[in-house]
Amino acid sequence: MSGSGGVAWLFDVDGTVLDLVTGSSLRPLANELFFALRARGAPVLLWSAGGADYALRRTRVVGVARLDTATYGKTERDEHGRWLLPQLPPAHRPAVLVDDEPHEIRYPGEIIGVPPYVGHNPRDTAFAPLLHRLTA
Ligand SMILES: [Mg+2]
């Protein structure tokens, strides 16, 4: 476990949860992963460089926003251009970040990189090991 002390998981939207081309294809196993997190009492959070409202809109389109989801914007970068987390309530301090550009984030906790989800692809398995980690 990271030093963040939290249990929430924070997901990037574009290229991580949703495809980069249309923004309307939910990555396979995303719903199962979010459900498994909630079943363990872990808040599911989403954040995007498009802003918190954008993240909420996009995730509503694909039906994941119903899952007690909170959204945040990527708004601040450090001196090396890496995204910094916004101010978060204690319950939303993430234990794990999941992102298709993990090198673009600065965070002392665990960061899991996934390959970019480029376009609709029912065979994508990037979330399988994460789901396995929660349900094994
Ligand atoms: Mg991304």
Side-chain angles (χ1 to χ4, degrees):
M1 184 59 72
S2 74
S4 69
V7 296
W9 283 39
L10 177 61
F11 294 82
D12 170 60
V13 175
D14 294 315
T16 300
V17 172
L18 301 181
D19 78 287
L20 287 169
V21 173
T22 69
S24 59
S25 172
L26 184 66
R27 184 167 226 153
L29 301 178
N31 268 324
E32 291 85 347
L33 180 58
F34 294 168
F35 184 84
L37 284 165
R38 291 185 69 228
R40 291 170 49 124
V44 174
L45 312 173
L46 297 149
W47 72 327
S48 172
D53 289 347
Y54 168 83
L56 184 60
R57 279 200 312 276
R58 294 310 324 166
T59 48
R60 272 188 181 147
V61 165
V62 294
V64 292
R66 67 183 183 277
L67 299 172
D68 285 351
T69 305
T71 61
Y72 295 98
K74 290 178 176 175
T75 58
E76 191 186 347
R77 295 181 186 265
D78 73 3
E79 67 274 23
H80 302 293
R82 295 175 302 185
W83 294 111
L84 298 167
L85 261 64
Q87 289 292 330
L88 298 169
H92 286 180
R93 293 203 50 128
V96 176
L97 270 62
V98 183
D99 204 295
D100 66 319
E101 296 178 301
H103 52 283
E104 296 267 315
I105 300 169
R106 182 167 124 197
Y107 187 63
E110 181 178 2
I111 301 175
I112 297 175
V114 292
Y117 184 50
V118 178
H120 178 67
N121 176 12
R123 298 188 178 190
D124 181 277
T125 58
F127 281 168
L130 306 186
L131 186 60
H132 184 260
R133 164 175 163 171
L134 290 168
T135 56

